[in-house]
Amino acid sequence: MQPTGWTLEPHDADVRVVGWGPTLAHAFEQAAVALTHVVTESCVAGREWLTVSCEAPDPELLLVEWLNQVIFEMAVGGLLFSRYRVVIEGEVLRATLWGEPVDRTRHAPACEPKGATYTALRVERVAGGGWVAGCVVDV
Amino acid sequence: MDTSKLTRIDDTTWQIDPTGDMRVPGIIFADEALIEAMDDKVAEQTANVARLPGIVQASYAMPDAHWGYGFPIGGVAAFDPDEGGVVSAGGVGFDVSCGVRSLLTGLTVADIRAVQERLADALAAQIPAGVGSRSGISLNRQEMDAMLVGGAAWAVEQGWGEPEDLERIEEMGRMAGADPDCVSEQAKKRQRREMGTLGSGNHYLEIQAVEKVFDAETAAAFGLVEGEVLVTIHCGSRGLGHQIGTEFLRDMLPAAAEAGIRLPERELACAPIHSPIGQRYLGAMRAAINCALANREILGHFAREVFDRFFPEHRLPLLYDVSHNTCKVETHTVGGRPRQLYVHRKGATRAFGPAHSELPEALRGEGQPVLIGGSMGTGSHVLVGMGTGGKGFYSACHGAGRAMSRHAALKRWHGRQVVDDLAERGILIRSPSARGVAEEAPGAYKDVDQVVEVAERAGLARRVARLTPLICVKG
């Protein structure tokens, strides 16, 4: 496994997004990159940026809040994001998202995430250090 | 699924006997082949639902059940508010009131074949489908609240639909008890530009031919004629419903803990019906139902506009509009007495039988149409609610149900090839995404014929007609 990365795991009807990295914040960033890849396999430019914040009492609930915040911004702004920078301080997450408006021809978006769920929700340290964060997303 | 832990009741009924803190049994309707193909998670989730307070009679799973979150997709459960019963956001799902409507055309397959390519292109141009699509309808604050209260009736008032449609929609096109004040600004913001959009994933608009009639009398009453064509639309409450699901799933977690409800899984987050958050959810969820009803009414109007250009002499009357993801207050006789229950159907269709008081006069003789969605290349079905028994609180399946993950489908099929193969069979697909088509390939779903046959044998609903696709606009 690379020190930082993401993957999509199968689920009967939906899909599980997973991110990992040396810190909890990196794992959350990569889980959001995985979320973008639920929608498109095409290159997404980081031409625009915005900031978001959310909070939750534990890291697992914070992951769901974070991904739902990203889903909300994707839906309302008609945006796709290529890069994320996450800072986590206690129960609070602040993030910057870089992306661009959906281009239906270039991005050929496959499906739209409806919401992040508590199904197969795990945020945990892994052997040798680092974090893995993932949950099923309803699509 | 490992059936060794189930009790086989009959040919199509399997029971999970109550163990531990299960309050009622779990019942799965399936034949041997379907149950063996089901994920073990379906039984686990069906049993978990049976642990929730106030559940009545049993926790049910329909023949198309598959692994969901909290409730299985295809899960049905009813709760009594006076026995501590709960309402569950996970028991309704993110796409509140996702459902199907079918319109009759009176046109023949030959009529469609004569213009099939041009009609497919025109529908694809008119029906906003897929991620990033917009319908051009934008609602201000007052219009949004009016829509959330008025549902399909609001859409008709705006000129996007026909007054005659309303009696052919569940709740007469307008769900009572909707409260826009219970819907967050975030949810309203998410919906502002999404009215009259199809969405993505398994949502679609299909032109379908009546291929086979199983029940001639009921088919005739429904206006279904072999060789004639229908327009069927599958979609839901779009961003508004998704956001309501997201927010209440989150807010019901601490609410359940405060109410002393032990959740077997976090996705079963729920709240007592007699609680402020339970009532707020019901107000918001009913508003989302109205959003879905209005959305399907507008999409039906868009489809009529296209057909009017090709076939100006043909009206497109609505056969029926049903929802799959709801919690509704219904009266059911349990233990020999009528009880008012909160029936959750998540990926399941209400299937009232003949003479039911909630059906419009025009359908009371036959029973409620039960519209079963297909998956591009496979067929769809029209069933009718059964008069007796009322199994699973008068519920039936809602589709074929996935047989494999999107991941596995992508490994097996290429979107372009799926489109070409279907075109050779006379089915034209229009979609903005080849990958989306591959993920939704017909082979990724269970055999819908088998599912509805089992639904019939189990006494959930009776087959009326089988439909086969001619054109599919896919999100």
Side-chain angles (χ1 to χ4, degrees):
Chain A
M1 186 187 282
Q2 298 295 313
T4 301
W6 61 270
T7 192
L8 299 177
E9 291 181 349
H11 173 272
D12 266 15
D14 299 311
V15 62
R16 183 167 187 259
V17 297
V18 186
W20 60 87
T23 67
L24 184 62
H26 282 108
F28 276 37
E29 288 171 359
Q30 291 299 311
V33 172
L35 184 62
T36 297
H37 283 264
V38 169
V39 185
T40 182
E41 290 168 337
S42 304
C43 184
V44 175
R47 291 189 278 116
E48 299 178 15
W49 61 273
L50 56 89
T51 59
V52 301
S53 65
C54 56
E55 58 182 280
D58 67 57
E60 290 192 337
L61 295 180
L62 190 60
L63 175 70
V64 174
E65 287 298 304
W66 157 237
L67 294 175
N68 278 328
Q69 196 71 49
V70 176
I71 288 169
F72 177 82
E73 297 297 343
M74 288 164 95
V76 168
L79 296 166
L80 288 169
F81 300 107
S82 55
R83 193 157 64 88
Y84 305 84
R85 188 170 64 216
V86 169
V87 175
I88 299 172
E89 291 174 329
E91 297 182 356
V92 178
L93 178 154
R94 292 186 181 81
T96 308
L97 291 62
W98 287 268
E100 64 173 329
V102 174
D103 180 327
R104 284 160 55 78
T105 306
R106 188 158 50 83
H107 295 131
C111 64
E112 179 181 40
K114 295 171 186 166
T117 78
Y118 302 125
T119 297
L121 168 59
R122 279 189 293 282
V123 175
E124 55 200 8
R125 280 185 183 278
V126 289
W131 290 80
V132 175
C135 71
V136 168
V137 175
D138 189 330
V139 293
Chain B
M1 181 183 292
D2 174 9
T3 55
S4 65
K5 292 174 187 164
L6 305 178
T7 302
R8 188 164 194 172
I9 305 296
D10 59 35
D11 186 37
T12 54
T13 312
W14 305 76
Q15 178 163 301
I16 307 164
D17 297 320
T19 55
D21 54 358
M22 283 175 69
R23 298 164 195 261
V24 292
I27 299 284
I28 302 172
F29 297 109
D31 66 4
E32 200 147 353
L34 285 176
I35 199 114
E36 281 175 0
M38 271 182 200
D39 196 304
D40 285 321
K41 283 279 182 187
V42 173
E44 185 184 319
Q45 293 186 322
T46 304
N48 282 341
V49 172
R51 296 182 164 92
L52 295 178
I55 188 166
V56 173
Q57 202 162 272
S59 162
Y60 295 98
M62 298 293 120
D64 56 336
H66 52 104
W67 180 22
Y69 43 92
F71 280 51
I73 312 295
V76 175
F79 298 86
D80 188 333
D82 296 328
E83 293 187 355
V86 295
V87 60
S88 168
V92 171
F94 282 90
D95 199 354
V96 178
S97 196
C98 178
V100 179
R101 68 163 39 198
S102 290
L103 301 101
L104 305 168
T105 69
L107 295 159
T108 66
V109 174
D111 293 330
I112 299 298
R113 292 280 184 225
V115 296
Q116 193 173 4
E117 286 276 354
R118 288 191 297 125
L119 180 60
D121 292 339
L123 287 166
Q126 183 83 352
I127 304 295
V131 180
S133 60
R134 304 286 192 209
S135 74
I137 297 171
S138 179
L139 302 185
N140 64 30
R141 186 184 201 76
Q142 285 177 327
E143 291 165 334
M144 177 70 70
D145 286 358
M147 180 275 288
L148 294 176
V149 170
W154 169 85
V156 170
E157 285 166 17
Q158 306 303 308
W160 294 310
E162 305 292 335
E164 296 77 18
D165 294 341
L166 298 179
E167 73 160 14
R168 295 292 184 130
I169 304 172
E170 280 183 296
E171 317 302 333
M172 301 292 280
R174 177 186 173 279
M175 184 78 209
D179 186 350
D181 290 341
C182 297
V183 179
S184 71
E185 288 306 313
Q186 302 280 81
K188 291 175 184 176
K189 195 173 173 188
R190 205 162 154 181
Q191 189 61 26
R192 199 150 288 146
R193 299 287 307 279
E194 294 203 341
M195 292 309 298
T197 61
L198 193 61
S200 61
N202 62 352
H203 293 161
Y204 60 76
L205 179 146
E206 276 191 3
I207 309 304
Q208 305 165 328
V210 180
E211 185 189 52
K212 182 177 180 182
V213 165
F214 296 95
D215 174 346
E217 196 176 325
T218 307
F222 284 175
L224 298 170
V225 179
E226 264 184 21
E228 286 194 357
V229 170
L230 282 78
V231 179
T232 293
I233 297 165
H234 174 220
C235 71
S237 52
R238 309 290 294 115
L240 183 126
H242 306 170
Q243 190 67 22
I244 287 170
T246 294
E247 291 169 1
F248 278 93
L249 198 64
R250 175 191 65 204
D251 296 346
M252 281 180 173
L253 262 181
E258 280 170 28
I261 300 168
R262 204 183 69 78
L263 297 175
E265 289 186 280
R266 280 186 285 206
E267 305 92 316
L268 282 171
C270 59
I273 293 160
H274 290 318
S275 70
I277 187 174
Q279 291 298 306
R280 277 204 307 283
Y281 177 67
L282 288 167
M285 182 211 59
R286 289 163 179 160
I289 290 176
N290 280 332
C291 179
L293 299 181
N295 197 40
R296 287 197 289 273
E297 183 71 12
I298 295 169
L299 285 165
H301 175 74
F302 289 164
R304 280 170 172 154
E305 286 185 329
V306 173
F307 270 74
D308 194 48
R309 298 208 297 269
F310 287 84
F311 308 102
E313 70 283 10
H314 281 259
R315 283 187 66 250
L316 269 63
L318 184 62
L319 166 58
Y320 206 59
D321 181 305
V322 294
S323 297
H324 297 147
N325 295 351
T326 58
C327 171
K328 292 189 175 181
V329 182
E330 295 169 9
T331 302
H332 293 277
T333 300
V334 181
R337 65 183 174 95
R339 293 164 72 177
Q340 208 173 54
L341 304 174
Y342 286 67
V343 183
H344 293 62
R345 295 188 181 89
K346 181 179 178 181
T349 313
R350 194 189 73 177
F352 285 157
H356 198 286
S357 60
E358 288 199 26
L359 294 180
E361 195 61 45
L363 294 170
R364 229 170 260 178
E366 287 72 34
Q368 182 209 300
V370 176
L371 309 175
I372 306 298
S375 46
M376 295 192 288
T378 55
S380 299
H381 285 259
V382 178
L383 283 70
V384 64
M386 311 273 271
T388 54
K391 286 189 179 175
F393 301 104
Y394 289 95
S395 305
C397 50
H398 81 311
R402 287 194 78 96
M404 73 173 73
S405 69
R406 294 168 186 281
H407 195 259
L410 276 178
K411 281 187 173 172
R412 188 172 298 187
W413 292 287
H414 294 285
R416 186 69 250 170
Q417 191 61 49
V418 172
V419 170
D420 290 346
D421 289 349
L422 290 171
E424 277 187 23
R425 291 170 45 198
I427 305 165
L428 301 185
I429 308 298
R430 295 291 184 268
S431 172
S433 171
R435 178 180 152 200
V437 170
E439 289 183 356
E440 293 291 328
Y445 284 80
K446 292 177 196 167
D447 181 346
V448 70
D449 296 325
Q450 186 184 6
V451 168
V452 297
E453 192 219 328
V454 168
E456 181 173 271
R457 278 166 43 208
L460 301 170
R462 202 177 65 248
R463 288 178 295 175
V464 177
R466 186 185 198 282
L467 315 173
T468 186
L470 299 168
I471 295 170
C472 180
V473 177
K474 196 84 180 154

